Amino acid sequence: LYFIHNFRRIYVGDKCNITAEQVYEVLNDVVGINDTHMVMELMVRKIGINLSEWMSEPDIIKKTLTMFNDLAIGYSSSKLLVKLDITNSLLTNHTVENFPFLGYPENERNRTSFYTTLGRMLFTVKNIGKFDIFMSPFSLIFEQLLQCNSPEAFFNDEAKTVFVGLMRDLRGIFQACQSRQNYEHLFEWIYPEYISVLTKAAEGWYNQPYVTNALLQFTVQMATNHSGRLNFDCSSANGILLFREISKIICTYGNLIYDLEVDEQDLYKAKYKGICLSLTILTRALVGNYVNFGVFELYGDPALENALTVILKLALSIPFDQLKTYPKILKAYYTFMQVLCQHHLKFVSKLDNQQFAQIVESIHAGINDMSLNVFHECCNALDYIASFYFTNQEKNTQVAHAIVDHVNQCNSLFSRFLGILFQVLLFVENASHWVLSRPMLSLILVDPNQFKTLCQEIIITQPLDKQNDIDQAFCKLLDGVENNLQTGNKEIFTQNLTKFRRDVKQFLIS
């Protein structure tokens, strides 16, 4: 494998050098191989032999699949790959009968890699016509699961193993899909005939992370709009239909896992990892830009509100001390909070004061502890809340009244945040001025008097001979800044903030 990998890198594909022709002359004289087409066919045959003969050696399988993937993603090598007859055979014969390694539990993670590579070959102009034949083994598995009418028939060990393998395989195929046309092929295949199996599995196996993790990881991939693949036509309802199914899956799983009692040593594996994946699923769906979420409220569809309610309940159920110990969950939590505050403050306005306070306290903790690496997300979430408050505080709307009430219930909320942001600005070396400037401007405009008070509190802590210089720096901070949150005004404030930090740091140091 090492030799083949390096031979491919040097003599096959995009970066082969001028000595390749001489090498092929020698190969032709010795073994009768005279061009890259024959070399590629030999490589693919070697890959097939490894996958068939070394099925109980996951390291060899992994390295083999890595090489296979390298062939599929290279510009020149991928074009050669799809022309081979052996490749066509792979797209029509790819089940466990053809590749026994798929049936070995230690190779479960390698299944996704295998089908990602096959998916890349399938989603080409030359091979997309084989889509139905390629997907037929998966259709057969879904149909068998749909025919399981009793819980005993569906929720047994054999069905569980088959379902997990199916999720891992489909995750690879969806991961390989990069265009709208190809995604539509996949969505129309799975919806509406087969997708109900996913919700049924979430309901029956919610307490078995071996199953739910595979299911949720597939759903993450299904919900992700990378390369604009989910930008459906304006006359298509596929985006809304997809979100409704995503909502069903995470609500079914979330409501059941919330009440699950788990030993403390098993919390991450049995519960928190599933919550992390659920947060990621909903976040990807909310920012995917393939759903007009106003449609749900307009037509009385609870899919969006149900999903937000369940996921927020799960997120807030994790004590912050435990949240900090799991970086992946922490990142998923704050990314979700950022999106929630950016696009769904109407939902936030309906929360009770305790939930709102828990959200802002977690944002406060994220800003106050730079080691958590969620500073950017926290500043953005704070900016969205403060900007909404500034823009809507005088408006006579239900949402505006609710947000103002929430903020007022949190004692000195905005002044506390503004004080922390100034501390970060002046005393944390690697803090981003641009990230800081957004919430700082919003907070200053919300309550200018509180800003003046804060300035005085900072000034009086400095030596007498520096106080006048620092006071002048604070005055210059708002030079040219108007009472609005327009983009141009924000840029002026950011420039002023950069100069302010430089000047004040000199005063403080000197």
Side-chain angles (χ1 to χ4, degrees), residues 420-438:
I420 290 176
L421 293 177
F422 267 105
Q423 289 180 18
V424 173
L425 176 71
L426 297 175
F427 300 110
V428 178
E429 291 295 333
N430 60 347
S432 169
H433 303 164
W434 188 91
V435 173
L436 279 165
S437 69
R438 269 37 187 176

Side-chain angles (χ1 to χ4, degrees), residues 182-214:
N182 292 334
Y183 192 92
E184 285 180 341
H185 278 296
L186 286 171
F187 185 72
E188 290 170 1
W189 170 77
I190 200 171
Y191 181 89
E193 189 173 0
Y194 303 136
I195 204 163
S196 61
V197 174
L198 307 186
T199 305
K200 185 178 180 181
E203 181 179 9
W205 283 311
Y206 73 94
N207 59 348
Q208 300 189 42
Y210 169 69
V211 182
T212 55
N213 289 344

